[in-house]
Amino acid sequence: MASKKRAVPEINAGSMADIAFLLLIFFLVTTTMDVDKGLLVKLPPWTEESSEEQDIKEKNIFVVLVNAQNQLLIEDEYASLEDIRRLAKEFIDNNGDGSCEDCRGLRDPNSSDNPRKAVISLQNDRGTSYKTFVTVRNELLGAYAELRNDLAERKYGRDYQSLNETDKEAVNEIYPQFISEAEPVKIGG
Amino acid sequence: MAHIKKKKKVETPPLSTASLPDIVFMLLFFFMVTTTMREVTLLVKLKKPQATEIQKLERKDLTTYIYVGAPKSAALGTEPRIQLADQLASVGDVQQWVILQREAINEAERTKFTVSIKGDIDAKMGLISDIKQELRKAQALKLSYSANPAASAEELFKSF
C-alpha cells in the first residue's frame, strides 16, 4: 500500500533575522579588538650573585644612564632623547678592528671593536619614570632595527621585514642585539 | 466623449528583505571570530607609553599580563601598585603567580610563555625593576613592555 507522504510543513524563517540580530548585538557590545603590542625584550636568567663581572673592554660598552629627573648621560656626556639613536648606531656600527665587512662605521679606535662585541648597557635610577625608560629602550631597539634594515637594503635590496627567515638570521648574525638592562641604583638626585 | 484618463501611479516594488538574514549572519560571524571578552577589570589607572619599535604579541593564551599603576580608588593612595588578574598584589606575589600561570599552559608551548607588563607612564622604574627581578627568579624571561604605537620618533619626543 503506497501511503501518501505527509507534507512536512515549512518552517517559518521570518524570525531568523531577529535572532541573528540579537546575537550580533551581543557580540558587538562585548567585543574588544585590542591586540597587545609592546617592546619585546629578553631578561637574563637569575643568578644569586648580584653582579657578575664579565671581561668586556671599556670601549665595547655603551653606557646609557638615566637619573631620577629623567636626564640622560650617554658615555659620560649629557644627551637628549633625540641623540640616543644616532649615538647608538655610531657605536654599534663602528667596527674598530675591521672584522665586520658589512659595517660602514667610522672605525674609531676608541669605540666598539665590532657589532658582535658591542654591548649597550642601560642603567636607570629607581626614580626614573616608566615613560622615559620605555622611550629610551625604544630608541635603542630602533638603532638596531635601522642598522639591520640598512644592511638588508644593501645586501638583498629589500627591507628587513620582508626577508625570509634564513636571510633575517644572516642579518642578525652581523648585528646581534646586546642590550643589558642593569639593576637600578641610586644614581643621584 | 471626454474620457478622463486616470493617471496610473508608478508603484515601486517592495524591497526584498530575504537576504537580510544572510547579511546579518555575515556580520555576526565576523564579530564572533574577532571577539575577545575583557578578562579583567582594571583596578589601576593605566595610560600606556608610546613606542615605535613594537611587535605584536601573537598568542593571547601564552601571554600573562601584569598591570602597574596608581590605584583607581583614592582610599588606596597614589603610589603605583601591581595588579595580577583581578586583585592588587605586592611584589612578593609576582613570582608565585607567574609560575602558576605558566603551569596552566601545555608543556610543549611553555617556552613561548611571555609576560606583558602594562605599565602606566607615571609609574617609577623601581617597582618595574622589582617585578623584573621576580620574573627572572621565576624563569619567565620573555618580557614585553606594552605600548601604544606612535607614528614616528619625533612625535614621541614631543610628548616630553
Side-chain angles (χ1 to χ4, degrees), chain B residues 56-111:
Chain B
K56 243 191 226 171
L57 284 172
E58 294 294 345
R59 296 281 299 277
K60 234 174 199 178
D61 53 330
L62 299 179
T63 311
T64 286
Y65 302 99
I66 296 176
Y67 304 89
V68 184
K72 273 182 182 163
S73 95
L76 294 166
T78 53
E79 200 56 34
R81 298 282 301 272
I82 302 167
Q83 184 189 345
L84 303 172
D86 270 326
Q87 51 194 345
L88 293 176
S90 62
V91 176
D93 304 326
V94 173
Q95 186 184 356
Q96 192 72 36
W97 188 75
V98 166
I99 290 171
L100 276 175
Q101 294 294 308
R102 191 176 45 201
E103 293 291 312
I105 297 170
N106 100 45
E107 216 159 320
E109 296 190 302
R110 226 167 263 176
T111 50

Side-chain angles (χ1 to χ4, degrees), chain A residues 6 24 33 53 65 89 92 98 108 119 131 139 187:
Chain A
R6 198 185 285 177
L24 173 63
M33 273 193 236
E53 291 294 324
L65 296 174
K89 275 175 76 176
I92 300 160
D108 176 1
V119 176
K131 184 183 179 184
E139 289 308 295
I187 292 171

Side-chain angles (χ1 to χ4, degrees), chain B residues 84-154:
Chain B
L84 303 172
D86 270 326
Q87 51 194 345
L88 293 176
S90 62
V91 176
D93 304 326
V94 173
Q95 186 184 356
Q96 192 72 36
W97 188 75
V98 166
I99 290 171
L100 276 175
Q101 294 294 308
R102 191 176 45 201
E103 293 291 312
I105 297 170
N106 100 45
E107 216 159 320
E109 296 190 302
R110 226 167 263 176
T111 50
K112 292 180 195 154
F113 179 72
T114 310
V115 176
S116 173
I117 293 184
K118 294 197 175 197
D120 187 78
I121 50 170
D122 292 326
K124 294 278 178 248
M125 276 314 288
L127 185 58
I128 307 276
S129 299
D130 290 344
I131 296 171
K132 267 160 55 182
Q133 296 298 56
E134 292 297 310
L135 292 178
R136 286 175 64 194
K137 283 183 205 166
Q139 291 296 317
L141 302 177
K142 286 184 83 178
L143 174 66
S144 160
Y145 299 109
S146 183
N148 289 329
S152 65
E154 284 75 41

